[in-house]
Amino acid sequence: MFYILSLLMGILITIMIAINGGLTTYYGVYSATMIIHLVGLILISAVVLYKKERFFPGRFTWYVYLGGAIGVMTTIANNLSFGRISVSAILALGLLGQTVTGMVIDQRGLLGMPRHPFTKDKIWGLLLIIAGIGSMIYEFEVLAVVVSFIAGFCIIMSRTLNAKLSDLTSVRVSTFYNYFIGLIVSVLVFLLLGRGEVIFGEITFSPTWYIYFGGVLGVVVVLMSNIVVVKISAFYLTLLIFVGQVFSGVLVDAIISQAISTRNVIGGVLVAVGLSINLILDTRKKVLSR
């Protein structure tokens, strides 16, 4: 079930990136980031109230609250990249950043997460995964490439911290903190960097109503992430999400550019095959160890 949820998360993230890209085109990067977090906060607050949970159940180690702040960086990075490189390239570069970060966390058990050491027999699967990522990256606008890679690192860190807070509170309260802290940070960033954007002069609403629903999808993804992230390794979670992302990303790019990228399809297949090889090896080890 957790593997299926991970794949579904990937599909939702791709749709969310495309929707948020439309919001960015209309309002600007920093205004869009603020709106996304505002919509998300309203929705998750309603859910917490409905479940009659406490919004502020106690004080915990300060860094577990930083998931939402780091998530703002992810949203800004994706919004900056959208339109400069393809959705599939954004996802591939983000995967590269996530893969490196996830392997380090798994290897060392950082941030209190379970250890999942990387073994030598998984090298062939890893090489296929890297080849798949590389085949999808063929647009090199420096800013977009760099921030997309950084977004991958931010995704893992935000996801891990939100999961730790979820253990201390609940899935819903952790998601509330993600958007509560995220909105505060996004407003500060907007006030510092967003003065030239349209919303500062006049508040207008787009007739394309669905561009405001990126925050709703974001809440769903964070809720699902808080459930799944402690159940499977950061490395596998990242790759399963990517498999869902890449094929839905190919579809989104096809809708936007009216063409299907063969390189993206090949890249997605290579990543899926590499992931399958390593998952099979892990399954065999568990069977033999019983």
Side-chain angles (χ1 to χ4, degrees):
M1 181 184 76
F2 298 116
Y3 294 135
I4 294 173
L5 283 177
S6 300
L7 290 169
L8 180 58
M9 282 171 62
I11 295 171
L12 292 177
I13 289 169
T14 301
I15 297 171
M16 183 178 67
I17 289 174
I19 291 175
N20 289 346
L23 193 67
T24 298
T25 301
Y26 191 82
Y27 286 105
V29 171
Y30 307 108
S31 300
T33 302
M34 184 175 61
I35 292 169
I36 289 163
H37 282 84
L38 177 60
V39 171
L41 180 61
I42 292 171
L43 174 60
I44 192 58
S45 296
V47 172
V48 173
L49 285 171
Y50 176 76
K51 290 293 184 178
K52 297 180 179 179
E53 293 183 278
R54 293 173 60 193
F55 285 99
F56 305 99
R59 294 183 180 180
F60 308 106
T61 306
W62 63 271
Y63 65 81
V64 299
Y65 297 101
L66 296 181
I70 297 173
V72 172
M73 296 171 62
T74 304
T75 304
I76 290 174
N78 285 332
N79 288 350
L80 283 170
S81 299
F82 188 84
R84 298 172 185 267
I85 57 177
S86 69
V87 171
S88 296
I90 292 172
L91 297 176
L93 287 159
L95 174 65
L96 186 59
Q98 290 178 65
T99 300
V100 173
T101 308
M103 289 181 67
V104 172
I105 290 175
D106 284 344
Q107 191 71 25
R108 300 294 181 183
L110 300 178
L111 299 173
M113 299 303 289
R115 291 184 73 247
H116 299 278
F118 185 83
T119 55
K120 292 181 180 179
D121 57 352
K122 297 179 184 176
I123 190 67
W124 297 112
L126 180 61
L127 289 174
L128 283 172
I129 290 165
I130 293 172
I133 295 171
S135 71
M136 298 177 66
I137 302 171
Y138 50 90
E139 297 168 287
F140 284 92
E141 183 171 333
V142 176
L143 174 64
V145 168
V146 172
V147 297
S148 293
F149 181 85
I150 292 173
F153 167 80
C154 292
I155 287 169
I156 292 288
M157 296 302 295
S158 177
R159 195 165 67 197
T160 303
L161 291 172
N162 284 337
K164 294 297 295 181
L165 186 57
S166 178
D167 284 341
L168 297 169
T169 56
S170 73
V171 170
R172 291 172 292 273
V173 173
S174 175
T175 304
F176 165 77
Y177 273 107
N178 178 81
Y179 280 90
F180 178 70
I181 300 297
L183 180 60
I184 293 172
V185 174
S186 62
V187 168
L188 292 174
V189 172
F190 169 73
L191 292 174
L192 287 172
L193 303 174
R195 291 184 178 276
E197 294 182 347
V198 160
I199 201 170
F200 238 112
E202 181 182 359
I203 297 177
T204 60
F205 294 94
S206 170
T208 312
W209 57 269
Y210 61 80
I211 67 173
Y212 297 100
F213 278 76
V216 174
L217 289 179
V219 168
V220 175
V221 169
V222 174
L223 284 170
M224 293 170 66
S225 175
N226 288 341
I227 295 169
V228 172
V229 73
V230 294
K231 301 297 183 181
I232 59 179
S233 81
F235 178 68
Y236 285 148
L237 176 58
T238 295
L239 294 177
L240 284 163
I241 289 173
F242 179 73
V243 170
Q245 284 180 316
V246 68
F247 292 110
S248 52
V250 167
L251 179 60
V252 170
D253 280 338
I255 293 171
I256 293 173
S257 62
Q258 301 298 309
I260 294 178
S261 170
T262 303
R263 291 179 62 168
N264 290 346
V265 174
I266 293 172
V269 170
L270 289 174
V271 171
V273 171
L275 171 63
S276 300
I277 290 172
N278 285 347
L279 284 174
I280 290 169
L281 289 172
D282 274 350
T283 302
R284 285 181 178 176
K285 282 185 179 180
K286 289 179 182 178
V287 172
L288 292 173
S289 64
R290 290 176 181 174

